[in-house]
């Protein structure tokens, strides 16, 4: 369904469809995946759209192979994505670690559902937040983003690809069943209005190329397989040429560079949205579909005289500490509602320095936290 407005063509899209459209707008031309509720519509949309624009869609035999295919496509120079839900996300973790070590840009979408195990396939959850941060083994930085609306799905898919390409990292998008299956009208930006970032390519002759060289930004240029730049790719700790090493100086330099390139980009990577925080005495910190309930709850609470505001976390990791600390310092109380038992509230409490009161509101029954549940908490905390 579509129409036209002054801004452009209006589309009625599901969250999963908008996410796929955002990926295509960012230049994604390869998708490998395995069907799983509530993420399947992303694969279905990509299966329709990619061949029409010269891209490739592959339904793999499982999620392990899907993640492997995405890494291979990216190494060949193509922007690549996969999408899954909790159980499939667990299967992808070893290959996500490989992508971290091999510095392979790609985007992984996890549309969260209740768990553990097969859990609640058709109901919502935010139970994979810590799996996104710590699911793969080893000490490594990771970028994790959260979507809360159809527009978000499009915009953040573009943002995720841009970060993946710029920093040579896998980027994880967390959605949930509510966002994935909500349909909303949406006016996609024109292609000329979308900023698209491509990976930095080498400018030196092939014989000089070092695929993991420490540059000023910490992000080495990346040649595509087939471009004439021969290089070695491994999940083992490696030297600047990509060959395995056990030398302490080379191991230390590699691991510190992996962290440094993300740390230097905090100002760009850590994205949040504030709502009515200017005079807020009490704040909600939320993400995903719960952030939409929270936005409505703030308005309802203000109707009862409560000076409430919202800090919506778009970037969950690296945890946007400086933004959260600012709210903790300026508000006398903070509420963290989540559809889990408290995965982000623990992060808020970790950076909390007794500057305000932190309370939680948790649902783990597959149902969305409603605006009324949040506004009732805000009114009780305020008075």
């Amino acid at each position: 369904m579509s129409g036209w407005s002054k801004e452009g063509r209006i589309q009625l899209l599901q969250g999963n469809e908008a996410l796929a459209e955002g990926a295509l707008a960012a230049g994604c031309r390869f998708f490998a995946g395995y069907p799983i509720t509530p993420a399947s519509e992303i694969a279905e949309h990509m299966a329709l759209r990619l061949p029409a624009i010269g891209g490739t869609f592959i339904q793999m035999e499982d999620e392990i192979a899907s993640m492997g295919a995405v890494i291979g496509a990216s190494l060949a120079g193509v922007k690549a994505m996969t999408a899954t839900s909790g159980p499939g996300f667990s299967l992808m973790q070893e290959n996500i670690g490989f992508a971290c070590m091999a510095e392979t840009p790609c985007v992984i979408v996890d549309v969260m559902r209740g768990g553990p195990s097969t859990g609640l396939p058709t109901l919502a959850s935010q139970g994979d937040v810590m799996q996104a941060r710590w699911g793969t083994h080893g000490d490594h930085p990771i970028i994790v983003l959260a979507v809360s609306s159809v527009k978000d799905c499009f915009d953040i898919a573009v943002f995720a690809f841009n970060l993946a390409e710029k920093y040579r990292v896998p980027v994880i998008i967390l959605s949930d069943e509510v966002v994935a299956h909500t349909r909303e009208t949406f006016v996609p930006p024109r292609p000329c209005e979308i900023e698209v970032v491509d990976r930095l390519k080498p400018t030196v002759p092939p014989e000089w190329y070092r695929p993991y060289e420490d540059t000023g930004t910490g992000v080495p240029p990346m040649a595509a397989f087939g471009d004439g730049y021969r290089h070695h790719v491994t999940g083992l700790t490696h030297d600047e040429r990509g060959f395995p090493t056990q030398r302490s100086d080379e191991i230390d330099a590699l691991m510190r560079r992996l962290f440094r390139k993300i740390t230097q980009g905090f100002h760009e990577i850590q994205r949040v949205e504030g709502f009515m925080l200017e005079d807020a005495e009490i704040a909600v910190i939320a993400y995903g579909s719960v952030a939409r309930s929270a936005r409505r709850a703030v308005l309802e609470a203000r109707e009862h005289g409560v000076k409430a505001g919202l800090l919506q976390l778009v970037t969950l990791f690296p945890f946007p500490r400086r933004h959260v600390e600012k709210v903790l310092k300026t508000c006398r109380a903070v509420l963290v509602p989540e559809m889990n038992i408290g995965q982000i509230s623990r992060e808020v409490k970790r950076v909390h320095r007794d500057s305000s009161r932190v309370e939680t509101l948790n649902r783990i029954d597959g149902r969305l936290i409603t605006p009324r549940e949040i506004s009732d908490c805000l009114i009780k905390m305020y008075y």
Side-chain angles (χ1 to χ4, degrees):
M1 177 180 162
S2 64
W4 290 89
S5 72
K6 290 180 181 176
E7 291 76 26
R9 184 166 177 261
I10 304 171
Q11 296 188 37
L12 178 63
L13 289 179
Q14 190 186 69
N16 277 343
E17 295 167 344
L19 219 152
E21 285 295 324
L24 295 172
C28 176
R29 292 297 180 268
F30 182 91
F31 183 97
Y34 187 79
I36 184 169
T37 302
S40 295
E41 294 84 1
I42 298 174
E44 291 168 5
H45 200 75
M46 292 300 244
L48 285 172
R49 295 276 283 117
L50 270 172
I53 56 174
T56 302
F57 171 88
I58 304 179
Q59 180 177 318
M60 302 299 290
E61 65 268 34
D62 57 34
E63 290 85 351
I64 300 172
S66 300
M67 191 61 215
V70 163
I71 292 170
S74 182
L75 289 171
V78 182
K79 292 184 182 181
M81 182 174 87
T82 187
T84 186
S85 187
F89 192 45
S90 300
L91 293 174
M92 292 180 178
Q93 292 297 342
E94 185 172 358
N95 274 339
I96 292 174
F98 182 93
C100 290
M101 181 59 97
E103 298 181 67
T104 310
C106 56
V107 173
I108 305 107
V109 181
D110 174 14
V111 185
M112 295 180 284
R113 69 190 205 187
S117 191
T118 40
L120 296 164
T122 58
L123 296 177
S125 168
Q126 294 177 321
D128 295 344
V129 172
M130 283 300 160
Q131 185 183 190
R133 175 62 191 93
W134 297 110
T136 192
H137 55 276
D139 205 9
H140 63 92
I142 195 78
I143 297 175
V144 181
L145 311 173
V147 294
S148 66
S149 68
V150 167
K151 183 177 185 305
D152 256 11
C153 287
F154 185 95
D155 293 343
I156 291 175
V158 174
F159 183 47
F161 269 98
N162 286 348
L163 293 179
E165 292 287 310
K166 182 170 182 177
Y167 294 95
R168 276 190 69 172
V169 290
V171 173
I172 295 167
I173 299 176
L174 291 182
S175 179
D176 61 62
E177 191 277 336
V178 174
V179 179
H181 291 155
T182 295
R183 288 189 180 275
E184 295 179 285
T185 55
F186 166 60
V187 180
R190 295 178 177 84
C192 62
E193 298 171 338
I194 301 171
E195 181 189 11
V196 175
V197 175
D198 295 320
R199 66 192 67 172
L200 188 64
K201 294 192 174 181
T203 56
V204 298
E207 61 272 22
W208 293 2
Y209 178 54
R210 289 180 175 257
Y212 301 102
E213 183 177 15
D214 190 354
T215 62
T217 63
V219 185
M222 184 174 180
F225 280 7
D227 279 353
Y229 289 80
R230 296 180 63 186
H231 58 94
H232 192 261
V233 178
T234 176
L236 292 166
T237 306
H238 46 265
D239 61 19
E240 291 188 345
R241 300 168 302 161
F243 290 102
T245 183
Q246 292 197 16
R247 279 178 45 180
S248 293
D249 59 331
E250 291 178 334
I251 296 168
D252 187 82
L254 167 63
M255 296 307 296
R256 290 186 186 281
R257 180 176 61 75
L258 295 182
F259 279 94
R260 174 163 54 84
K261 68 178 182 180
I262 299 299
T263 305
Q264 289 179 170
F266 272 6
H267 64 286
E268 176 180 47
I269 297 168
Q270 293 176 331
R271 183 181 287 189
V272 300
E273 293 181 13
F275 178 64
M276 305 190 84
L277 282 172
E278 294 76 16
D279 63 341
E281 296 178 11
I282 189 168
V284 184
I285 297 178
Y287 57 95
S289 57
V290 178
R292 298 195 71 177
S293 292
R295 186 173 288 250
R296 177 65 193 170
V298 164
L299 295 173
E300 290 180 359
R302 285 197 170 246
E303 290 175 1
H304 289 81
V306 177
K307 289 188 175 180
L310 166 68
L311 180 70
Q312 179 183 342
L313 307 183
V314 175
T315 303
L316 301 186
F317 298 104
F319 188 66
R321 178 176 187 148
R322 61 196 168 99
H323 299 285
V324 172
E325 283 181 337
K326 185 178 178 183
V327 169
L328 289 169
K329 285 177 183 173
T330 56
C331 295
R332 59 184 168 87
V334 166
L335 176 68
V336 188
E338 294 179 89
M339 291 188 291
N340 56 49
I341 211 67
Q343 297 189 20
I344 280 293
S345 67
R346 293 187 192 115
E347 289 295 294
V348 174
K349 291 173 182 174
R350 182 175 63 82
V351 303
H352 175 238
R353 296 177 182 171
D354 297 326
S355 50
S356 65
R357 191 167 110 226
V358 178
E359 298 210 359
T360 61
L361 172 61
N362 311 104
R363 285 198 75 155
I364 51 174
D365 58 358
R367 269 68 184 181
L368 178 67
I369 299 176
T370 65
R372 175 60 64 86
E373 287 176 296
I374 297 172
S375 62
D376 284 350
C377 281
L378 291 174
I379 293 167
K380 193 181 295 182
M381 289 167 67
Y382 193 76
Y383 295 109

